[in-house]
């Protein structure tokens, strides 16, 4: 090869590396608290964003500790997407430790995905947090209902567009494409669960109310007497009696709940314990937002048969 051509190729290769490097640096760095919000942010942001979730899919998002490793991630973020409604209130300490003014509450980079969500199970009396109830502002598990995805992705879009206004049209196109995939999936899920309309269920933790309500199913009780608090024996006795009276077939369990207790309650009531995916990545087969919903719909329909 001619030395000049060789030099030219080496130079072009170096430029290529630089271009790739600049490309990565141009991406909007987003941190989300949960894996559901990571998946939905990727749907809106496409290849213009780089998204990292603070909680792993296999971790109960209620229970995270504000570790320094999480602060390091938030320190570099351009945008922070939080679930809100106290599911991830540990993020306040993480943000304080991260010392990143771009993503503090009220800054352009702060996105509360719960804005505009019709919140269910809002307590009618003041909940004393000292008693340990982890849903003091109402039920925070709205991402499990795919019918909420249009609101959530609209909030994410606004947040991304505040940080990268030049990309707004691209974000809008990505979101429309996502919603166009969601719509036929919603119709299919509704059809799959239609035969079980009105079926009565029990959940271990109170995290399925949005999902169950969306598809016309009913929750008659929870193993946890109050969200996040281990049940008393008398509560379990009452619950099992109720389950027998109502002919409840399933107890929906999170992967991190006490599986033995769930199985015992289900067995005594003539039901079965069923582990569903409370978030993206919490179970095999729940690797994206749409896959996680599909997994939950299909697994529940099978169990109710
Ligand atoms: Zn909860």
């Amino acid at each position: 090869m001619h030395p000049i051509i060789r030099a030219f190729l080496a130079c072009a290769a170096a430029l290529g590396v630089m271009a790739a490097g600049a490309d990565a640096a141009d991406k909007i760095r987003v941190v989300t608290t949960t894996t559901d919000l990571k998946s939905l942010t990727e749907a809106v942001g496409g290849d213009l964003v780089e998204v990292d979730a603070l909680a792993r899919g296999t971790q109960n998002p209620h229970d995270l500790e504000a570790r320094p490793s999480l602060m390091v991630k938030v320190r570099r973020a351009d945008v922070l997407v939080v679930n809100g409604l106290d599911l991830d209130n540990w993020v306040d300490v993480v943000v304080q430790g991260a010392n990143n003014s771009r993503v503090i509450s009220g800054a352009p980079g702060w996105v509360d995905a719960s804005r505009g969500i019709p919140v269910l199970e809002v307590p009618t009396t003041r909940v004393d947090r000292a008693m340990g109830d982890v849903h003091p502002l109402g039920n925070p598990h709205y991402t499990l209902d795919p019918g909420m995805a249009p609101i959530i992705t609209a909030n994410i879009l606004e947040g991304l567009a505040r940080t990268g206004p030049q990309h707004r049209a691209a974000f809008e196109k990505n979101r429309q494409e996502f919603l166009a995939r969601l719509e036929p999936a919603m119709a299919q899920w509704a059809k799959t669960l239609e035969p079980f309309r009105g079926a009565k269920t029990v959940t271990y933790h109170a995290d399925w109310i949005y999902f169950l309500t969306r598809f016309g199913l009913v929750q008659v009780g929870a193993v946890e007497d109050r969200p996040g608090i281990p049940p008393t024996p008398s509560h379990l006795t009452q619950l099992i009696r109720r389950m027998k009276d109502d002919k409840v077939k399933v107890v929906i369990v999170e992967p991190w709940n006490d599986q033995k207790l769930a199985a015992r309650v289900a067995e005594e009531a003539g039901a079965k314990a069923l582990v569903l995916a409370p978030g993206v990545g919490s179970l095999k087969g729940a690797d994206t937002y749409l896959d996680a919903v599909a997994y939950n719909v299909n697994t529940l329909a099978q169990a109710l048969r």
Side-chain angles (χ1 to χ4, degrees):
M1 195 186 294
H2 193 281
I4 291 179
I5 294 177
R6 193 181 297 143
F8 172 77
L9 287 176
C11 195
L15 280 171
V17 167
M18 278 170 68
D23 196 31
D26 277 350
K27 290 191 185 214
I28 298 176
R29 282 165 302 193
V30 187
V31 168
T32 66
T33 53
T34 69
T35 49
D36 278 9
L37 294 174
K38 175 178 192 275
S39 189
L40 291 170
T41 301
E42 285 169 344
V44 177
D47 53 11
L48 297 166
V49 297
E50 203 165 78
V51 193
D52 203 356
L54 295 178
R56 288 191 297 274
T58 50
Q59 283 179 307
N60 182 349
H62 274 300
D63 286 348
L64 242 64
E65 279 176 55
R67 293 176 188 281
S69 59
L70 304 186
M71 295 172 190
V72 170
K73 288 182 180 185
V74 172
R75 182 163 304 166
R76 293 192 297 251
D78 302 310
V79 175
L80 174 65
V81 184
V82 306
N83 184 89
L85 298 174
D86 256 14
L87 177 73
D88 45 9
N89 54 1
W90 41 264
V91 80
D92 295 342
V93 178
V94 175
V95 171
Q96 267 172 29
N99 195 24
N100 174 355
S101 60
R102 290 190 299 270
V103 298
I104 56 174
S105 177
W110 167 272
V111 180
D112 182 345
S114 73
R115 253 189 89 184
I117 295 286
V119 181
L120 301 177
E121 296 179 343
V122 177
T124 48
T125 54
R126 225 177 74 85
V127 173
D128 185 358
R129 278 167 221 238
M131 292 170 74
D133 190 321
V134 295
H135 294 173
L137 304 176
N139 195 303
H141 300 283
Y142 58 87
T143 62
L144 293 178
D145 169 10
M148 298 297 174
I151 301 176
I152 301 166
T153 52
N155 288 332
I156 291 169
L157 186 150
E158 286 308 317
L160 294 180
R162 277 196 300 271
T163 298
Q166 70 276 26
H167 300 309
R168 177 179 274 276
F171 296 144
E172 278 170 357
K173 183 166 170 280
N174 290 344
R175 177 170 177 265
Q176 287 311 325
E177 280 170 8
F178 171 74
L179 295 180
R181 279 186 289 137
L182 176 68
E183 207 180 272
M186 280 296 281
Q188 179 58 50
W189 296 328
K191 200 173 145 200
T192 302
L193 286 171
E194 175 61 34
F196 313 107
R197 189 158 274 277
K200 289 171 176 164
T201 66
V202 160
T203 66
Y204 190 106
H205 177 69
D207 57 346
W208 291 96
I209 191 67
Y210 294 92
F211 175 92
L212 295 170
T213 305
R214 173 69 53 191
F215 295 111
L217 304 166
V218 180
Q219 181 190 323
V220 298
V223 172
E224 290 178 348
D225 195 1
R226 302 167 76 91
I229 301 172
T232 59
S234 67
H235 170 69
L236 290 180
T237 306
Q238 276 175 24
L239 179 70
I240 290 164
R241 195 180 308 137
R242 178 87 201 263
M243 287 173 68
K244 286 179 178 165
D245 289 348
D246 284 343
K247 300 186 172 49
V248 170
K249 281 187 174 177
V250 295
V251 178
I252 305 173
V253 191
E254 297 174 310
W256 41 75
N257 294 147
D258 181 341
Q259 306 296 324
K260 269 191 190 155
L261 176 60
R264 182 166 71 78
V265 170
E267 194 187 354
E268 284 188 32
K272 62 178 150 187
L274 185 70
V275 180
L276 292 185
V280 171
S282 57
L283 292 177
K284 219 172 152 225
D287 299 321
T288 68
Y289 186 77
L290 297 183
D291 285 350
V293 180
Y295 179 90
N296 291 334
V297 167
N298 295 328
T299 308
L300 185 57
Q302 193 123 29
L304 288 171
R305 217 167 271 161

